[in-house]
Amino acid sequence: MVALRTLPLMLLIASFFVPAVRADDQAPELTRAELNNLRRQAMGPDSDAALKAMDALAKAGPDGQDALRSAARSWVNRTEQSIQRELARAGEPKWFLDRQAAFDQVRSEALANIRVLERDDNVRKAREFQESLKTHFEALQPFYHRRALIIEAFALRARFLEYWEEVRPENEPIFTPERIERLTQRVEQVLGMDAEKAAIARDWVGGRTPEEPMVKTMAFYFAARRIHEFNQHQRTLVDDAEWENIQKVNEYRIHLGLLPFEVDPRLVQAARRHSKEMAEMGYFSHTSPTPENRSHVQRMRNAGYPRGTSENIAMGTISGERAFRMWFDSPGHHKIMASTGNSGFGVGRWGRHWTQKFGRGPRIMLMSESEQAQVTIEGDILPPMRGR
């Protein structure tokens, strides 16, 4: 492991961020009102808004230097206080890794059981593993969260330190190299990783899994959190029961150590359309009597999703949790929900008929804005039932 204290300050900061805008960049002069507004934003509680305001102050020449200096000093202090607070509650790396190793062992055994999930006794074991996994996860969740806060605050502090280096008075006694080094050493000790690996953990979104246990653990936590945040933006696409089913599936996957599925609007529509057709035409099957909707892959393609793979169907409940349990207790359906090859997911209910759709297309959340603009639902949009 490379000790952070051996790295020059600017190299350490560069490992987290693109350099901030310099004060000599060209920008129009600011009015007094504009300058005061930027000063308020830079000193405010929102770090994103503060960074934008400080970018503008850095371009404002001498008029912005005093405001930038005050804001940078304030934010470095705030982020240091946040880091120190979480360091005190984070627990030492060995304690954390020992408990994570025990969790990973249960995960490994649970996944092995799923691979041979064919009989009632395997399903019973799956239920027992689910309870054990939940217990382990809930015990470790606060420690994942605290380490994530440290990583994020440390990265943010590096950004504000860069501004500070641009405008700090000569021979300024605060934020000395010794002070920076002490905090860096403590952060490194508690995290069990250096700045470069912390950045890898924070930015990982899938692909080749980091090998070091601590980096792997935090990379999974950050990625799962980002997928959950993306899915929250899709919440209006589904009713409460459908959302409950989505949450149950992804919670189970996280407990197993599998990345959550991304909710894809096209798969939601394909699922809901099939549930509606089954309900209205009075059949229950993966094979539709409608020629253009014959197979589950066709139905996903008809909604605009090009790489559909699997489908689960259920009937007899309006509860998202109950539908999840029905699939959980059925070996074939269970294996699909715990698959490793799929990334996209959609749930659609119509009355007491349920459909889940799965695919391995690119995640929308990782696409560029122009690519996302190309993602469109084909065919008529079927709204959720919402309580019916």
Side-chain angles (χ1 to χ4, degrees):
M1 180 180 295
V2 178
L4 293 185
R5 60 183 177 276
T6 65
L7 298 176
L9 176 61
M10 287 299 102
L11 179 57
L12 169 62
I13 292 169
S15 71
F16 281 107
F17 292 104
V18 175
V21 177
R22 296 294 190 264
D24 56 1
D25 290 339
Q26 295 298 313
E29 291 187 8
L30 299 175
T31 65
R32 181 57 55 187
E34 290 171 333
L35 190 62
N36 288 337
N37 184 50
L38 288 174
R39 181 183 290 107
R40 284 192 296 270
Q41 291 179 21
M43 294 292 289
D46 186 328
S47 60
D48 289 336
L51 286 168
K52 291 179 182 178
M54 290 166 74
D55 279 341
L57 289 170
K59 297 176 184 178
D63 288 342
Q65 297 302 291
D66 287 342
L68 182 58
R69 185 179 300 111
S70 296
R73 181 190 294 110
S74 173
W75 272 103
V76 174
N77 273 321
R78 287 188 233 178
T79 51
E80 285 196 4
Q81 290 168 6
S82 296
I83 293 168
Q84 295 286 9
R85 182 172 59 251
E86 299 306 329
L87 285 173
R89 300 187 294 179
E92 295 300 320
K94 185 179 185 307
W95 178 95
F96 178 77
L97 285 174
D98 285 348
R99 282 153 183 78
Q100 182 64 41
F103 186 19
D104 288 339
Q105 180 61 36
V106 178
R107 280 173 162 172
S108 178
E109 293 171 3
L111 290 169
N113 183 65
I114 291 171
R115 286 193 289 271
V116 297
L117 199 63
E118 300 293 346
R119 304 181 307 277
D120 288 344
D121 61 334
N122 296 123
V123 172
R124 177 183 55 77
K125 288 180 182 177
R127 294 193 200 106
E128 293 172 355
F129 278 124
Q130 185 187 26
E131 288 303 313
S132 179
L133 290 167
K134 182 179 179 181
T135 299
H136 278 278
F137 180 82
E138 289 178 349
L140 282 166
Q141 168 68 14
F143 299 94
Y144 297 143
H145 179 63
R146 287 164 188 162
R147 280 169 169 75
L149 289 176
I150 292 169
I151 290 171
E152 291 172 329
F154 191 68
L156 194 59
R157 169 181 167 274
R159 182 68 178 271
F160 289 120
L161 271 173
E162 184 175 354
Y163 282 115
W164 174 252
E165 287 298 311
E166 289 291 321
V167 295
R168 68 176 176 85
E170 190 173 354
N171 299 321
E172 174 64 50
I174 64 173
F175 311 136
T176 62
E178 293 77 18
R179 176 174 173 174
I180 293 170
E181 180 183 353
R182 283 194 302 272
L183 183 60
T184 297
Q185 288 177 327
R186 180 58 180 155
V187 167
E188 183 182 60
Q189 177 189 6
V190 170
L191 292 181
M193 67 182 92
D194 62 25
E196 181 180 359
K197 288 170 184 171
I200 290 171
R202 189 193 61 214
D203 297 335
W204 185 75
V205 288
R208 185 175 179 180
T209 306
E211 296 181 0
E212 292 190 26
M214 186 69 82
V215 184
K216 178 181 177 181
T217 294
M218 292 311 302
F220 179 82
Y221 176 84
F222 276 111
R225 191 178 69 176
R226 280 196 293 275
I227 296 168
H228 176 71
E229 289 169 353
F230 174 86
N231 287 346
Q232 288 283 354
H233 291 294
Q234 315 306 311
R235 176 68 180 84
T236 58
L237 301 176
V238 296
D239 67 16
D240 291 344
E242 291 166 333
W243 181 249
E244 181 180 46
N245 191 263
I246 289 167
Q247 294 291 84
K248 287 295 179 182
V249 172
N250 277 340
E251 177 186 86
Y252 183 47
R253 290 181 63 82
I254 290 171
H255 292 175
L256 286 167
L258 305 174
L259 283 178
F261 291 129
E262 177 185 280
V263 175
D264 191 296
R266 298 165 296 183
L267 294 180
V268 170
Q269 281 299 307
R272 191 177 293 140
R273 290 171 188 174
H274 187 55
S275 293
K276 183 174 186 289
E277 184 180 270
M278 287 192 295
E280 294 182 347
M281 296 184 69
Y283 75 93
F284 183 69
S285 173
H286 294 289
T287 303
S288 168
T290 306
E292 62 269 24
N293 294 329
R294 180 74 63 187
S295 72
H296 65 278
V297 173
Q298 281 179 286
R299 293 190 287 273
M300 287 185 265
R301 191 178 297 118
N302 290 344
Y305 191 87
R307 299 185 65 187
T309 59
S310 310
E311 176 182 86
N312 283 342
I313 59 175
M315 182 176 66
T317 182
I318 61 171
S319 164
E321 182 174 6
R322 175 58 184 155
F324 167 75
R325 183 55 57 186
M326 292 165 70
W327 284 317
F328 186 99
D329 290 342
S330 172
H333 300 90
H334 191 133
K335 287 181 178 180
I336 292 174
M337 292 192 296
S339 64
T340 58
N342 293 320
S343 55
F345 182 45
V347 176
R349 177 185 71 89
W350 203 258
R352 294 177 177 271
H353 286 73
W354 287 83
T355 304
Q356 289 179 327
K357 296 285 192 180
F358 305 85
R360 58 185 59 178
R363 290 185 182 271
I364 297 173
M365 61 178 285
L366 302 183
M367 296 179 181
S368 65
E369 289 187 11
S370 60
E371 290 171 330
Q372 289 183 9
Q374 302 301 312
V375 176
T376 56
I377 300 170
E378 296 184 9
D380 295 335
I381 305 297
L382 185 64
M385 296 197 77
R386 301 203 185 282
R388 291 177 289 164

